């Protein structure tokens, strides 16, 4: 009898360890914070997985997409685990709030979408958004709220079953510094695959000096002057329209790399 128990003990311990390693998470999907479509639970390996909550508000193609969802996360890894927002001009923006955790039902709380602020913060960035190698004609735009960085990104924008190369410039939250080449940012309608990019602190909006008051000069008869021929010099030209913080960018410089990346993705 004792030998039978000793033989059975390893199996009981293995079963107990397997049960202890199971993680339970909430699941749901919806377009409101109640997230009440198909509520339930899922289970995952606690050693490698976790629970995920996402709240997002995105507008890139003229249509606003707002989604909330919760699910198991098979790999408890992510490049961005904090709220991120960036505004790329002409009413286009991306706002995503994500939260990951590793205890049972830890994603039960309601996760809110990062709200877009209309309060100017005294900073500015070039902003533009272009698809399919179109020229990204940027214009300097004041930043608002906590978007205190300027971004300049190039990559592929996936929306099943299609994808397009894109370029985006704009104001962004500090969390955008976590976006590096090779990183993907996944949302419900889109997946951003970044090929190249940079984030730099936004520059302050220049202030104009106050106007100065001048007193009228006393009119007197001017003394006779001798006119000498003026020396002709080449006029100096100045370049205007340079983007603050981020220099001018030529999409064509990255065309070979993007094309190669696209071929790799199509062949893989």
């Amino acid at each position: 009898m004792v030998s039978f128990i000793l033989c059975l003990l390893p199996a009981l311990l293995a079963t107990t360890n397997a049960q202890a390693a199971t993680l339970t998470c909430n699941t749901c999907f919806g377009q409101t914070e109640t997230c009440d479509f198909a509520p339930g639970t899922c289970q995952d390996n606690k050693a490698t997985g976790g629970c995920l909550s996402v709240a997002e508000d995105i507008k890139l193609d003229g249509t606003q997409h707002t989604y909330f969802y919760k699910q198991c996360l098979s790999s408890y890894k992510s490049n961005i685990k904090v709220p991120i927002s960036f505004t790329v001009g002409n009413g286009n923006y991306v706002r995503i709030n994500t939260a990951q955790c590793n205890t049972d039902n830890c994603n039960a709380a309601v996760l809110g979408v990062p709200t877009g602020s209309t309060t100017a913060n005294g900073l500015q960035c070039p902003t533009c958004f272009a698809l399919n190698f179109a020229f990204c004609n940027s214009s300097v735009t004041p930043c608002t709220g906590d978007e205190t960085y300027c971004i300049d990104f190039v990559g592929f924008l996936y929306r099943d079953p299609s994808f397009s190369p894109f370029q985006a410039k704009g104001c962004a939250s500090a969390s955008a510094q976590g976006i590096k080449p090779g990183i993907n940012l996944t949302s419900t309608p889109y997946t951003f695959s970044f090929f190249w990019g940079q984030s730099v602190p936004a520059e302050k909006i220049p202030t104009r000096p106050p106007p100065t008051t001048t007193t009228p000069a006393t009119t007197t008869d001017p003394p006779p002057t001798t006119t000498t021929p003026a020396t002709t010099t080449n006029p100096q030209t100045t370049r205007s329209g340079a983007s603050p913080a981020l220099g001018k960018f030529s999409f064509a410089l990255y065309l070979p790399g993007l094309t190669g990346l696209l071929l790799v993705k199509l062949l893989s």
Side-chain angles (χ1 to χ4, degrees):
M1 182 67 179
V2 174
S3 61
F4 173 75
I5 294 176
L6 291 176
C7 292
L8 186 60
L9 185 59
L12 293 173
L13 290 175
T15 303
T16 302
N17 290 335
Q19 290 176 347
T22 300
L23 180 69
T24 301
C25 305
N26 286 23
T27 62
C28 70
F29 179 83
Q31 293 182 297
T32 63
E33 290 186 354
T34 55
C35 186
D36 54 4
F37 178 73
T41 59
C42 58
Q43 292 186 333
D44 212 333
N45 186 343
K46 189 174 183 178
T48 57
C51 302
L52 174 69
S53 294
V54 177
E56 57 191 23
D57 181 16
I58 300 174
K59 186 178 180 182
L60 289 179
D61 57 359
T63 304
Q64 185 178 10
H65 303 276
T66 304
Y67 294 101
F68 301 83
Y69 60 91
K70 302 175 183 179
Q71 64 184 47
C72 284
L73 191 65
S74 59
S75 177
Y76 187 55
K77 295 179 180 179
S78 176
N79 299 302
I80 303 172
K81 297 183 181 180
V82 293
I84 182 171
S85 68
F86 50 90
T87 303
V88 292
N90 295 325
N92 295 312
Y93 60 84
V94 173
R95 299 175 189 138
I96 301 177
N97 194 3
T98 62
Q100 299 181 28
C101 50
N102 194 241
T103 58
D104 284 337
N105 300 314
C106 59
N107 65 339
V110 174
L111 189 65
V113 175
T115 56
S117 173
T118 58
T119 303
N121 57 22
L123 304 174
Q124 64 181 11
C125 294
T127 59
C128 68
F129 181 74
L131 293 172
N132 297 318
F133 299 109
F135 181 68
C136 199
N137 188 16
S138 63
S139 59
V140 178
T141 304
C143 300
T144 59
D146 62 354
E147 294 184 348
T148 58
Y149 277 73
C150 294
I151 59 167
D152 189 354
F153 291 134
V154 175
F156 287 101
L157 181 65
Y158 292 83
R159 187 177 186 185
D160 292 336
S162 62
F163 59 92
S164 304
F166 80 92
Q167 183 184 4
K169 297 182 181 183
C171 303
S173 57
S175 52
Q177 297 175 90
I179 298 179
K180 305 295 182 182
I183 284 180
N184 291 339
L185 178 62
T186 302
S187 66
T188 300
Y190 305 106
T191 295
F192 300 84
S193 181
F194 297 98
F195 172 73
W196 177 91
Q198 63 176 346
S199 304
V200 297
E203 292 185 353
K204 291 184 178 180
I205 298 175
T207 56
R208 296 181 179 179
T212 57
T213 304
T214 59
T215 57
T218 304
T219 303
T220 58
D221 293 333
T225 57
T226 303
T227 303
T228 58
T231 303
T232 303
T233 59
N234 293 326
Q236 295 182 349
T237 60
T238 58
R239 298 179 63 186
S240 60
S243 301
L246 299 175
K248 289 189 174 181
F249 174 83
S250 176
F251 210 172
L253 293 177
Y254 291 87
L255 179 58
L258 284 171
T259 304
L261 181 60
L262 175 59
L263 289 175
V264 171
K265 290 184 177 292
L266 291 175
L267 294 175
S268 61

